[in-house]
Amino acid sequence: MRLPLRSVIDLAGLVAQQSLSTVDAYAAKEIPAARAGLLANIGHDGGKSHGALPGLVVASPSTQNPNYLYTWTRDSSLVFKPLVDQVTSGEDPSLRSLVDSFITVESKIQQTSNPSGTVTSGGLGEPKFNIDGTAFTLPWGRPQRDGPALRSTTMMAYGNWLLDHGNTSFVQTTLWPIIQLDLDYVAQNWNKSTFDLWEEVNSSSFFTAAVQHRSLREGSAFASRLEQGNLTLAYTSQADRALCFMQSFWNPKRGYITANTGGGRSGIDANTVLASIHTFDPSAGCDATTFQPCSDKALANLVTYIEAFRSTYPLNSNASTSGALATGRYPEDTYYGGNPWYLSIAAVSEQLYDAYGVWANASQIEVTSISLPFFRRLLPNITIGTYASGSSVFTSITAATRRLADDFLALHAKYTPADGSLSEQFDRSTGAPKSAADLTWNYAALITAFRARDGRVMNSWGARGLHASC
Ligand SMILES: *[C@@H]1O[C@H](CO)[C@@H](O)[C@H](O)[C@H]1NC(C)=O
Ligand SMILES: *[C@@H]1O[C@H](CO)[C@@H](O)[C@H](O)[C@H]1NC(C)=O
Ligand SMILES: *[C@@H]1O[C@H](CO)[C@@H](O)[C@H](O)[C@H]1NC(C)=O
Ligand SMILES: *[C@@H]1O[C@H](CO)[C@@H](O)[C@H](O)[C@H]1NC(C)=O
Ligand SMILES: *[C@@H]1O[C@H](CO)[C@@H](O)[C@H](O)[C@H]1NC(C)=O
Ligand SMILES: *[C@@H]1O[C@H](CO)[C@@H](O)[C@H](O)[C@H]1NC(C)=O
Ligand SMILES: *[C@@H]1O[C@H](CO)[C@@H](O)[C@H](O)[C@H]1NC(C)=O
């Protein structure tokens, strides 16, 4: 296997070499398994999604304990983003027709009246639908306002590529009307209360605000490409307000991002790590205003998040002070007993690979008073300062960051069954898979983590050089 340059640097340490080979072996086996697992859960050809409309993502084929045989807008959009990326990068043009079915089915879902409303009266905030595209009408935590933002982000990634390739007619007639509905919903509703991504807390939520901000920001540029001048301005003005609001989630005393304004918990939550990776913009460097993966605030938040699980799960009882820990949604979680989630662990590794990727191109790394606890976990004797590319400290930081990211994937591998299947969670004491089998989002989360490890760069969305003027 051809090793990229950064891996050669890693070979400096024996530990690095071991976790490298573990993770390379895992990649060889698990990336194809995750892809197959993901595609099996997309209608109607997927082997585990019988009865689902074409292009519709089933959250999990599990029909009892728990019943996840529904489609969630959030999960579906996060699952399709890496598929779109594989089409637009030219890696896998064969996925294009599936992406087109996703657009068709999501357009139908947008138009389906549901307990949150009609397409023009709030219905876009409805979190989940039946797999035949009809409304789910039982009580639920609704609305969840991250869905339209994530869906528009996935569709704009495709739309920008189509425009780059001269396919303006499809974008104008088919894609833009769908995207505009979602963006208008976000522009009009982002400042209202919402259930969080775990469908439990009704308040304001960092993940929701961050993905809304991203969608409005890239929506403004997308509208501009389509010469929609008024919308360009309208989306930017709401994006500016949302960016300002995002700043209020930072907890300066304790050095982390508080996930929700309600909920009565610590607020330490994978919500914030997921927000950082799903709003990664490599052109923004280590900008803290948008909480980029290598920003001091996002790194401080990451170490607080990771360490919160050390004493929470018996599985972590013998873990080293510097290596990976099993992490879950939030330490107070009691759902199925409160356990590590595969997608949280993948998200930690992805944030670290994203940070590594930006630093590898940077002329220096800054260690601030905010990020010091993160860097101390990597290198116990490091001090606040600026370390130039080529210096031994710079090289140690980048190597240790990649090593830690690999260590999280090695831990993920340790608790993944031999057949490569990923349930929602694994037991906090025994490590045995728990809850819904074949969680589609888990497969997508692992795929995006490995894509970050491979240095596949995410598309920019306009995060560079933003200022929060509150
Ligand atoms: C534009 O893209 C759509 C969606 O994939 C496709 O159906 C159509 O054939 C494309 N048009 C051209 C001219 O390539
Ligand atoms: C709306 O925005 C204002 C100003 O940033 C903020 O104080 C308020 O908490 C927000 N409310 C919701 C529900 O997002
Ligand atoms: C969510 O919170 C808002 C604001 O406090 C409230 O108006 C709304 O009724 C709540 N929704 C539910 C379902 O509890
Ligand atoms: C854009 O805004 C201007 C000024 O408010 C208004 O006159 C015009 O009708 C708007 N255009 C569209 C397409 O909405
Ligand atoms: C931790 O170490 C103790 C003592 O060796 C052992 O009994 C226990 O099973 C270990 N726990 C885990 C989760 O590895
Ligand atoms: C790093 O630089 C290379 C070469 O210019 C570029 O292809 C890559 O996208 C950059 N990566 C990031 C994360 O900015
Ligand atoms: C870190 O500092 C401690 C105490 O000053 C010292 O014993 C140790 O050798 C240092 N470690 C490294 C890697 O420099």
Side-chain angles (χ1 to χ4, degrees):
M1 179 177 285
R2 188 183 62 87
L3 290 180
L5 181 58
R6 56 177 177 270
S7 303
V8 175
I9 296 168
D10 271 356
L11 293 175
L14 182 62
V15 178
Q17 196 169 9
Q18 282 168 347
S19 99
L20 186 69
S21 56
T22 303
V23 178
D24 282 341
Y26 189 46
K29 200 188 89 173
E30 189 61 21
I31 293 173
R35 179 190 162 94
L38 182 150
L39 293 176
N41 291 352
I42 302 178
H44 64 303
D45 294 334
K48 294 186 176 175
S49 49
H50 299 297
L53 294 177
L56 183 139
V57 178
V58 169
S60 150
S62 174
T63 54
Q64 52 182 356
N65 299 323
N67 182 357
Y68 280 10
L69 194 68
Y70 297 99
T71 190
W72 271 262
T73 305
R74 169 182 42 258
D75 296 43
S76 305
S77 305
L78 291 172
V79 163
F80 261 95
K81 178 65 164 59
L83 300 185
V84 166
D85 290 345
Q86 288 170 62
V87 172
T88 62
S89 65
E91 286 161 75
D92 193 346
S94 77
L95 292 170
R96 182 168 176 172
S97 61
L98 198 59
V99 170
D100 289 340
S101 327
F102 168 71
I103 291 162
T104 304
V105 81
E106 291 300 320
S107 172
K108 178 180 156 62
I109 281 176
Q110 279 187 324
Q111 300 294 333
T112 302
S113 295
N114 60 66
S116 294
T118 68
V119 62
T120 52
S121 69
L124 297 180
E126 180 70 1
K128 77 178 208 187
F129 291 82
N130 297 318
I131 67 168
D132 63 359
T134 59
F136 171 79
T137 54
L138 295 177
W140 204 253
R142 58 170 68 92
Q144 294 175 22
R145 304 188 199 276
D146 54 345
L150 293 166
R151 182 166 55 198
S152 67
T153 284
T154 296
M155 289 200 188
M156 284 188 279
Y158 190 43
N160 276 315
W161 177 77
L162 289 170
L163 290 176
D164 292 345
H165 289 81
N167 194 336
T168 311
S169 66
F170 180 79
V171 175
Q172 291 273 18
T173 57
T174 303
L175 207 46
W176 170 242
I178 300 168
I179 293 171
Q180 193 192 338
L181 283 173
D182 280 342
L183 291 175
D184 286 350
Y185 176 88
V186 176
Q188 287 157 20
N189 296 286
W190 70 267
N191 195 214
K192 293 181 186 155
S193 58
T194 177
F195 278 84
D196 71 321
L197 79 171
W198 309 132
E199 318 192 281
E200 293 167 343
V201 180
N202 173 30
S203 67
S204 299
S205 189
F206 183 74
F207 176 83
T208 305
V211 300
Q212 287 172 329
H213 169 253
R214 176 188 173 154
S215 73
L216 290 169
R217 198 66 71 182
E218 60 191 339
S220 174
F222 196 72
S224 171
R225 287 191 82 173
L226 297 175
E227 300 178 348
Q228 298 278 344
N230 290 3
L231 291 174
T232 303
L233 295 175
Y235 296 156
T236 295
S237 114
Q238 294 308 316
D240 287 345
R241 292 183 59 209
L243 180 61
C244 180
F245 182 46
M246 281 170 62
Q247 310 309 310
S248 68
F249 289 82
W250 173 248
N251 179 342
K253 284 210 183 87
R254 299 185 59 194
Y256 65 88
I257 304 164
T258 309
N260 302 306
T261 57
R265 303 194 300 244
S266 63
I268 299 171
D269 195 315
N271 170 316
T272 58
V273 179
L274 289 163
S276 189
I277 63 172
H278 291 302
T279 60
F280 175 41
D281 180 341
S283 77
C286 298
D287 172 56
T289 307
T290 53
F291 299 89
Q292 289 301 311
C294 59
S295 66
D296 58 359
K297 288 180 177 170
L299 294 172
N301 180 67
L302 183 67
V303 75
T304 303
Y305 164 77
I306 294 169
E307 288 297 332
F309 295 93
R310 185 180 292 280
S311 58
T312 303
Y313 301 143
L315 223 45
N316 288 330
S317 55
N318 300 333
S320 76
T321 53
S322 58
L325 295 172
T327 67
R329 299 193 301 178
Y330 50 90
E332 302 89 343
D333 199 358
T334 56
Y335 183 56
Y336 279 82
N339 298 295
W341 281 43
Y342 294 98
L343 70 83
S344 325
I345 293 161
V348 172
S349 73
E350 185 167 337
Q351 186 182 334
L352 293 166
Y353 291 126
D354 288 347
Y356 173 88
V358 172
W359 286 332
N361 280 0
S363 57
Q364 59 187 45
I365 295 174
E366 257 192 272
V367 177
T368 71
S369 59
I370 294 173
S371 56
L372 189 62
F374 168 81
F375 288 102
R376 283 253 157 108
R377 196 180 191 278
L378 294 180
L379 305 169
N381 290 356
I382 199 166
T383 54
I384 293 169
T386 299
Y387 301 98
S389 169
S391 68
S392 66
V393 177
F394 182 102
T395 307
S396 299
I397 291 171
T398 52
T401 300
R402 206 171 161 81
R403 190 154 63 233
L404 183 59
D406 277 356
D407 207 29
F408 272 91
L409 287 185
L411 184 141
H412 194 290
K414 181 175 171 186
Y415 296 111
T416 296
D419 66 0
S421 66
L422 297 176
S423 297
E424 184 179 66
Q425 322 177 9
F426 55 93
D427 189 272
R428 56 158 65 200
S429 302
T430 67
K434 266 196 136 162
S435 187
D438 295 307
L439 190 81
T440 323
W441 184 359
N442 268 340
Y443 293 125
L446 192 70
I447 288 169
T448 57
F450 271 118
R451 290 175 67 75
R453 184 176 190 258
D454 286 346
R456 294 199 182 276
V457 175
M458 289 284 184
N459 55 303
S460 285
W461 53 268
R464 185 182 178 149
L466 295 175
H467 299 284
S469 42
C470 302

